[in-house]
Amino acid sequence: MADEKEKESAELAVADLQRKVREAFEVFDHELNNTVDVREIGTIIRSLGCCPNEGELHDLIAEVEEEEPTGYIRFEKFLPVMTNILVEKRYRPIPEEILLQAFEVLDPTKRGFLSKEELIKYMTEEGEPFSQEEMEEMLSAAIGPESNFIHYRDYITMMVIDEN
Amino acid sequence: MGCGSSSIKIKKSAKTIRAALIIQNWYRGYRARLKARQRYALTIFQSIEYADEQGQLQLSNFFSFMLENYVHIQEKDPTLVNRLFGCAPQDDRGRQECVGIIEVPESYSGPRLQFPLNTNSLTIMIEAFKKQQILHAYYVLEILFETKEAMKQMPNFTHIRTCPTKEITICGDLHGKLEDLLLIFSKNGLPSGYNPYVFNGDFVDRGKCSIEILMILFVSFLLYGDDLCLNRGNHEDFLMNMRYGFTKEVLSKYKIHGKKILQVLEEVFAWLPLGTIIDDEILIMHGGISESTDLNLLHHIERNKMKSVLMPPVPVDKDSGTETKKNKGHVPRGVKLSGSPSDYLTKHEWEQVIDILWSDPRGKRGCYPNTCRGGGCYFGPDVTSKFLNKNHLKLLIRSHECKPEGYEICHDGKVITVFSASNYYEEGSNRGAYIKVGFCTTLRFFQYQVTKATCLRPLHQRVNTIESSAIRILKERMVSRKTDLIRSFQLQDRTKSGKISMGQWAFSMENTLGLNLPWRTLSSHLVLTDDDGNIDYMTCFHDIQIQKPVKELSQLSLKLCTDTDLTCKSFLMSLTLITQVLSRWKNFIPCGNFFVVTTTFILVIPKLMSLLKEWT
């Protein structure tokens, strides 16, 4: 009895997740024909709360693309893959403390800030480098036009509040 | 600082790389969520905008219904039909009588124009508008009368050609945003014989400088003729203007002569050409097409008879093949209409014009009624191909829909949407664009965005602005449908606990409001959820506002409906005015109002129907 109930509620939960995926997908389906531009897939996946890195995203796109890539992703292919990700709770977002520690690694003398040049160097030359657009956007939020320093603790707090 | 090398020494280590990866990953996630929130906000704005337009068009459908049944009405009361559809004979306002009596006082500090106009007139006017000066009614009326006479000479479609030395610039909706027009002129140059433009409709409504834009466009048209093509949009329509702000703008800027200006404008709008054709290959029209769009017919209709899309034609059809079953094919006898049938387009012609002004392209094949807007249709890539082939055309350029990037290409490159009002819904909501067509129809696209600040605000601030704006108007919409929403929630709340599941809540919201939005994602902004994930639905209405106007409004509507001194035109105008009155009410905003009017109106229809039934 309890098993059946559990099964039923699990199914309902999955159905709800599927509807959530559908909603997020539809917002980007401009032509209302159940397809989205492949360049928006990253945005859709991240808007659902998941945080794959660029490499993982690349693999996911390969999974949902057509045999012969058309530049568009169909909902029928996207839904099962995305639902799975949500059910398995993959690509969880980074906790605030880990993010803070990451900044502190780049600031070993513990000044409490990074210079604009340092941030640009790290973000555009290491890891999975930012594009110019991404770099500019991050800077515009992190520092005023006159300033040259990012006080990362404040920055993180501000971004976290904004998300909530 | 030390030996001035510009390179910063960074420690390359596995730890550093990991740290960089974490920050990049986090930032990309954050940025994507911002972009998604921006998209959701735009979807909200757009859904509500189209729902409002639908409300406006529902009025027209109601009148169509009435028209199709009037045979029965007129048998009971022969004079009613005459009163309903008769209109005052065209008050041919003598130009001398209208303008001749106006004097421009010495004290007037605005721009003074010479007639006949010259290129100087245009620059003087633009400089004055930049300083927010208002052009005197005398000049406005002179320009309008001149424009009307010149437009009468134009065919329904203007044919123009590219040549090696000049490109034609195509602009989309401007909606009264003067800053955007000025930005286009500063980037692309003023119109002239060497710099031709096509403006694809919707010059007015919503923005604050509609009349100024019209003055600039009309003066340019008078100066440069075929090098300044103006196409009619669905907002070049006096009934739309009453609803969407242009009428209000004119009446407030021109307190004495505003009414006169609006009357002449009514005719100027009706004389606007329907479209432009470049090199017999590119067709430019405001909305789109339907599967029955007949370009030949459209070339020949008397376009000036369509004063407003929302005033349906008299059902005395020249081609009597379109009688409805109820009409039984009888032309009513004994009905003497004060306006003759030849003052109106036939129903078929009228539908053709609505289709080209209101339709939207979509990915789905075929042609479907445009249920979001309530008029025109959704046309698919197959409809486009067929139409273009049949008419030996290569491309359709249209406007009518706001696009985040200012333009959008669809239907395999055969349809392009161009929209020129940046920040249309809210600051930061979208870019504007224009297209330049060169010799042999090569295309170049240009984008821009007007910004008040000297540098663009950070993305998250811009997104916050449009998001809170969108949520606010969505909440107002919810409050205006409170009764229906509560009923729907309660139907699903079998245990009467005050709570329903997320799925049930989303279902109620979508079906009651008729808006296809991502409700689950938006729920956090609209309602409280408990720890089990269930929705406390009454928290939807935490900012409860006015109930009273709804009741007053329904009483007003009822009075209007039963008022026997009724004509189509006055009825529609009155109903539209009511929404204007409501918008002055502190906590109401226009789109929320009209939705209230529509729902009330729809409630009133059964009463009206039963009245009609009594007569039959």
Side-chain angles (χ1 to χ4, degrees):
Chain A
M1 259 312 240
D3 263 351
E4 260 181 54
K5 254 201 155 176
E6 246 182 67
K7 197 178 168 200
E8 202 188 300
S9 69
E11 276 171 8
L12 277 172
V14 170
D16 227 23
L17 283 175
Q18 285 182 324
R19 263 177 245 123
K20 203 166 177 193
V21 172
R22 178 171 261 292
E23 274 185 359
F25 191 89
E26 275 177 358
V27 167
F28 291 87
D29 176 12
H30 307 310
E31 299 211 9
L32 299 177
N33 61 354
N34 289 324
T35 68
V36 302
D37 192 317
V38 65
R39 292 166 292 184
E40 316 234 61
I41 287 290
T43 311
I44 299 175
I45 296 177
R46 286 167 174 143
S47 76
L48 289 162
C50 303
C51 291
N53 61 37
E54 294 292 279
E56 288 162 336
L57 186 59
H58 191 80
D59 295 337
L60 282 172
I61 290 177
E63 236 184 288
V64 295
E65 247 176 350
E66 304 296 319
E67 304 280 311
E68 306 252 344
T70 57
Y72 288 95
I73 305 294
R74 287 186 300 121
F75 182 65
E76 300 82 57
K77 286 204 107 173
F78 182 71
L79 179 64
V81 173
M82 192 66 226
T83 313
N84 224 4
I85 294 173
L86 290 176
V87 166
E88 291 175 8
K89 299 201 198 310
R90 278 157 49 198
Y91 312 121
R92 301 309 287 146
I94 300 140
E96 208 180 315
E97 313 82 64
I98 307 288
L99 184 58
L100 187 58
Q101 282 169 27
F103 273 102
E104 284 172 348
V105 163
L106 303 183
D107 175 28
T109 53
K110 305 281 177 284
R111 297 161 296 173
F113 59 82
L114 289 174
S115 78
K116 190 167 145 185
E117 291 77 25
E118 285 171 333
L119 186 65
I120 293 177
K121 271 272 176 179
Y122 280 120
M123 294 294 102
T124 58
E125 292 181 13
E126 299 302 323
E128 291 173 328
F130 272 170
S131 67
Q132 193 185 355
E133 207 191 333
E134 286 171 318
M135 193 69 247
E136 275 170 15
E137 272 180 19
M138 184 180 189
L139 286 173
S140 77
I143 53 175
E146 311 284 290
S147 164
N148 260 322
F149 302 103
I150 298 103
H151 295 268
Y152 47 82
R153 210 174 257 277
D154 295 337
Y155 176 54
I156 296 173
T157 316
M158 183 173 75
M159 298 290 111
V160 165
I161 290 177
D162 185 59
E163 286 248 81
N164 303 329
Chain B
M1 189 183 167
C3 41
S5 160
S6 57
S7 67
I8 312 286
K9 227 166 156 227
I10 53 169
K11 286 211 301 248
K12 281 181 189 286
S13 69
K15 214 173 160 199
T16 320
I17 295 174
R18 257 202 312 277
L21 275 169
I22 288 172
I23 297 172
Q24 287 158 344
N25 185 328
W26 164 78
Y27 184 73
R28 286 188 167 115
Y30 169 75
R31 184 170 176 261
R33 283 187 289 281
L34 274 180
K35 294 264 174 193
R37 281 164 60 196
Q38 189 177 40
R39 262 255 134 237
Y40 293 156
L42 283 177
T43 308
I44 293 174
F45 284 125
Q46 212 155 49
S47 312
I48 292 185
E49 178 185 19
Y50 296 169
D52 279 352
E53 288 178 345
Q54 189 192 103
Q56 188 77 33
L57 281 156
Q58 274 169 357
L59 280 178
S60 134
N61 291 339
F62 167 66
F63 277 103
S64 292
F65 173 82
M66 271 179 61
L67 291 179
E68 276 156 32
N69 290 275
Y70 84 100
V71 173
H72 304 277
I73 305 168
Q74 72 87 21
E75 276 162 17
K76 283 279 178 172
D77 179 359
T79 60
L80 177 64
V81 171
N82 201 23
R83 275 181 285 131
L84 270 176
F85 306 130
C87 52
Q90 271 306 317
D91 217 341
D92 219 356
R93 301 215 129 250
R95 182 168 173 174
Q96 190 47 38
E97 176 200 306
C98 202
V99 196
I101 54 170
I102 304 179
E103 262 188 49
V104 183
E106 285 285 317
S107 54
Y108 169 68
S109 56
R112 287 171 187 269
L113 305 174
Q114 308 274 18
F115 290 89
L117 300 164
N118 54 49
T119 47
N120 218 22
S121 324
L122 188 58
T123 17
I124 293 175
M125 230 174 45
I126 292 179
E127 286 312 304
F129 291 158
K130 281 185 187 164
K131 296 185 211 145
Q132 274 127 38
Q133 291 175 351
I134 295 181
L135 185 65
H136 195 276
Y138 171 77
Y139 299 115
V140 174
L141 285 163
E142 282 287 330
I143 291 172
L144 290 179
F145 275 110
E146 288 285 318
T147 306
K148 179 176 140 190
E149 291 312 306
M151 272 192 180
K152 275 181 177 174
Q153 317 297 325
M154 308 275 297
N156 290 349
F157 289 85
T158 321
H159 287 256
I160 53 179
R161 299 215 150 269
T162 55
C163 71
T165 52
K166 51 184 187 178
E167 283 175 301
I168 302 173
T169 306
I170 305 173
C171 298
D173 296 26
L174 285 167
H175 282 300
K177 317 275 276 18
L178 184 60
E179 322 88 76
D180 287 86
L181 183 58
L182 295 178
L183 183 53
I184 296 173
F185 285 162
S186 79
K187 282 167 72 99
N188 195 51
L190 286 178
S192 74
Y194 307 103
N195 195 15
Y197 277 84
V198 176
F199 286 93
N200 201 16
D202 280 10
F203 321 122
V204 301
D205 278 335
R206 298 187 196 274
K208 297 199 175 73
C209 299
S210 299
I211 188 72
E212 284 75 28
I213 288 192
L214 283 185
M215 288 298 106
I216 294 175
L217 293 180
F218 289 158
V219 166
S220 305
F221 166 69
L222 289 169
L223 288 172
Y224 303 114
D226 271 6
D227 288 321
L228 198 301
C229 300
L230 299 173
N231 296 339
R232 192 174 186 183
N234 63 310
H235 278 262
E236 274 69 57
D237 180 323
F238 73 93
L239 276 172
M240 291 293 279
N241 300 151
M242 292 191 73
R243 166 86 186 82
Y244 289 102
F246 180 45
T247 309
K248 194 168 162 189
E249 179 190 325
V250 170
L251 293 175
S252 74
K253 283 178 179 166
Y254 296 98
K255 293 188 165 58
I256 305 172
H257 303 292
K259 212 166 162 201
K260 258 190 248 185
I261 292 176
L262 290 170
Q263 278 169 339
V264 185
L265 260 171
E266 211 179 291
E267 294 174 64
V268 176
F269 282 165
W271 277 111
L272 281 167
L274 299 174
T276 305
I277 302 179
I278 301 181
D279 288 350
D280 291 320
E281 281 185 350
I282 305 181
L283 173 60
I284 310 172
M285 296 190 299
H286 179 73
I289 54 176
S290 76
E291 62 198 347
S292 54
T293 298
D294 182 349
L295 214 51
N296 270 327
L297 182 140
L298 286 167
H299 265 88
H300 296 112
I301 60 168
E302 292 172 85
R303 68 181 192 270
N304 64 304
K305 288 183 178 171
M306 186 134 174
K307 289 289 185 318
S308 164
V309 141
L310 306 168
M311 289 254 302
V314 181
V316 182
D317 225 318
K318 284 189 205 137
D319 33 52
S320 52
T322 53
E323 306 290 9
T324 65
K325 31 187 183 340
K326 290 198 180 178
N327 236 341
K328 295 189 198 125
H330 289 312
V331 171
R333 268 169 244 154
V335 175
K336 200 160 172 253
L337 300 172
S338 49
S340 60
S342 65
D343 284 346
Y344 300 87
L345 293 179
T346 66
K347 187 163 186 221
H348 180 60
E349 289 169 336
W350 180 62
E351 279 167 359
Q352 289 276 320
V353 179
I354 292 195
D355 282 343
I356 64 172
L357 297 182
W358 282 80
S359 298
D360 293 314
R362 285 292 180 267
K364 200 167 157 193
R365 293 171 67 84
C367 194
Y368 305 89
N370 192 327
T371 44
C372 269
R373 300 217 201 227
C377 66
Y378 289 132
F379 61 99
D382 51 328
V383 178
T384 301
S385 289
K386 199 165 163 205
F387 174 81
L388 291 177
N389 287 336
K390 182 174 167 203
N391 292 286
H392 311 291
L393 297 163
K394 289 213 182 120
L395 173 64
L396 171 64
I397 297 182
R398 42 89 64 176
S399 304
H400 196 42
E401 284 182 291
C402 175
K403 297 291 176 191
E405 292 300 313
Y407 74 95
E408 193 174 273
I409 305 176
C410 64
H411 290 191
D412 279 324
K414 299 205 178 109
V415 175
I416 303 179
T417 304
V418 62
F419 193 85
S420 301
S422 68
N423 306 326
Y424 178 57
Y425 292 118
E426 178 59 80
E427 199 192 319
S429 65
N430 64 289
R431 287 174 151 152
Y434 56 89
I435 306 175
K436 294 196 75 130
V437 182
F439 194 49
C440 301
T441 61
T442 52
L443 301 175
R444 291 196 295 152
F445 297 85
F446 294 80
Q447 296 164 296
Y448 54 85
Q449 195 159 14
V450 166
T451 173
K452 292 196 189 80
T454 44
C455 55
L456 214 49
R457 285 190 301 160
L459 183 62
H460 73 275
Q461 277 186 24
R462 286 181 277 140
V463 171
N464 277 335
T465 305
I466 69 169
E467 190 181 51
S468 39
S469 204
I471 297 291
R472 197 191 76 234
I473 67 170
L474 186 53
K475 278 190 159 158
E476 307 234 12
R477 180 58 53 105
M478 285 159 58
V479 162
S480 76
R481 301 296 307 278
K482 190 177 174 195
T483 327
D484 292 330
L485 280 170
I486 293 180
R487 196 183 308 129
S488 176
F489 295 147
Q490 284 173 341
L491 274 171
Q492 307 206 65
D493 180 12
R494 297 197 200 107
T495 57
K496 308 277 175 262
S497 59
K499 296 199 181 172
I500 49 180
S501 74
M502 175 68 82
Q504 289 173 314
W505 179 79
F507 175 81
S508 290
M509 294 299 282
E510 175 139 348
N511 283 317
T512 313
L513 296 178
L515 298 171
N516 183 14
L517 293 173
W519 294 108
R520 284 164 185 78
T521 321
L522 295 172
S523 62
S524 57
H525 295 282
L526 302 172
V527 79
L528 286 178
T529 318
D530 68 16
D531 299 325
D532 299 320
N534 290 319
I535 308 264
D536 185 347
Y537 53 81
M538 289 309 287
T539 58
C540 274
F541 309 108
H542 269 174
D543 315 289
I544 295 174
Q545 298 298 352
I546 294 92
Q547 296 268 352
K548 217 173 141 204
V550 181
K551 195 170 159 202
E552 279 178 12
L553 188 58
S554 61
Q555 286 167 345
L556 251 172
S557 298
L558 199 52
K559 182 165 181 291
L560 278 172
C561 289
T562 50
D563 191 343
T564 47
D565 272 349
L566 194 61
T567 67
C568 275
K569 187 169 173 176
S570 66
F571 183 86
L572 282 167
M573 287 172 83
S574 308
L575 218 46
T576 318
L577 275 170
I578 289 169
T579 63
Q580 294 298 310
V581 167
L582 280 181
S583 73
R584 274 177 236 141
W585 207 288
K586 232 190 337 169
N587 294 302
F588 257 86
I589 55 161
C591 60
N593 292 338
F594 200 77
F595 206 88
V596 170
V597 175
T598 323
T599 11
T600 324
F601 187 71
I602 291 172
L603 292 173
V604 156
I605 286 180
K607 293 196 169 71
L608 202 53
M609 287 297 106
S610 66
L611 274 172
L612 288 174
K613 267 206 167 124
E614 270 177 35
W615 289 331
T616 61

